[in-house]
């Protein structure tokens, strides 16, 4: 063997630098970076802890279609016992979206929490939340930003399965 493979040295963790990179990616239009920045704000890792501001960033990510952010918003009602009917409807809608759009643990957790919350809701509230989820559309990328390939381009989470083929057939 001519070359020996050495493990890379561990990189020092610099939370402030990580926040700088995440914030730049979020500002550039990365949907997942919106979620990561919200996490940093919520936990105070590399940035001053600000739960109110974190919630705004989670909402931005969820509105762009980020399933983990949708799950986070869905969890705000808890089990539905100590929350208002409107909060339960909102939470149920976000949990429905996360269970449909997420994968793995996100999908599983959202579906389980959705079942738990549903037991505390009136049938009319469940119907309203389900209708909201069915009618929900992700926000489009902000003007001047490149599309996020994981969300906005063919094969992305926000592009309906047949949309890429339909656009190719019609020339649009």
């Amino acid at each position: 063997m001519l070359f020996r493979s050495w493990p890379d040295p561990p990189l020092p963790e610099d939370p402030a630098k990580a926040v700088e990179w995440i914030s730049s990616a979020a500002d550039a239009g990365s949907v997942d970076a919106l979620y990561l920045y919200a996490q940093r704000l919520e936990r105070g890792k590399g940035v001053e802890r600000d739960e109110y501001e974190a919630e705004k960033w989670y909402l931005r990510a969820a509105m762009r279609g980020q399933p983990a952010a949708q799950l986070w918003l869905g969890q705000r009602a808890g089990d539905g016992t100590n929350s208002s009917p409107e909060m339960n409807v909102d939470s149920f809608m976000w949990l429905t979206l996360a269970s449909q759009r997420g994968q793995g643990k996100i999908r599983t957790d959202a579906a389980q929490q959705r079942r738990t919350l549903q037991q505390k809701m009136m049938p009319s509230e469940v119907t309203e939340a389900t209708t909201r989820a069915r009618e929900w559309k992700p926000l489009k990328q902000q003007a001047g930003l490149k599309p996020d390939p994981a969300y906005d381009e063919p094969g992305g989470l926000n592009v309906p399965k047949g949309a890429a083929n339909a656009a190719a057939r019609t020339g649009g």
Side-chain angles (χ1 to χ4, degrees):
M1 177 185 320
L2 296 173
F3 297 98
R4 182 172 175 158
S5 175
W6 295 97
D8 290 334
L11 297 174
E13 184 176 323
D14 184 350
K17 191 67 167 172
V19 166
E20 186 180 315
W21 282 95
I22 292 167
S23 177
S24 293
D27 289 340
S30 168
V31 177
D32 290 332
L34 295 170
Y35 172 73
L36 293 173
Y37 190 64
Q39 282 187 312
R40 294 288 176 142
L41 285 165
E42 179 186 19
R43 297 174 183 158
K45 189 168 183 180
V47 66
E48 187 174 330
R49 185 176 181 183
D50 187 338
E51 292 178 12
Y52 178 74
E53 192 66 20
E55 186 170 342
K56 287 194 231 176
W57 283 83
Y58 279 122
L59 182 59
R60 284 179 64 191
M63 293 298 293
R64 287 281 291 125
Q66 213 290 340
Q70 292 171 336
L71 173 60
W72 188 92
L73 289 171
Q75 293 171 331
R76 292 185 305 169
D79 68 0
T81 303
N82 297 317
S83 53
S84 70
E86 183 60 32
M87 179 179 257
N88 289 345
V89 169
D90 285 345
S91 291
F92 194 86
M93 178 198 76
W94 289 120
L95 291 170
T96 299
L97 291 168
S99 68
Q100 293 169 348
R101 299 168 61 81
Q103 297 179 2
K105 185 165 173 40
I106 292 170
R107 179 182 295 242
T108 303
D109 288 355
Q112 200 287 319
Q113 290 176 28
R114 186 175 175 263
R115 285 189 296 274
T116 300
L117 181 58
Q118 184 173 1
Q119 295 171 2
K120 306 288 186 192
M121 296 172 67
M122 299 296 295
S124 61
E125 295 167 348
V126 172
T127 300
E128 181 181 344
T130 303
T131 299
R132 285 188 195 177
R134 189 175 34 256
E135 294 173 352
W136 180 86
K137 301 275 188 268
L139 285 181
K140 294 184 188 276
Q141 184 63 285
Q142 292 179 2
L145 298 179
K146 293 181 181 178
D148 184 329
Y151 290 86
D152 303 318
E153 294 181 357
L157 194 55
N158 291 341
V159 180
K161 296 284 185 240
N165 294 337
R169 285 192 306 270
T170 61

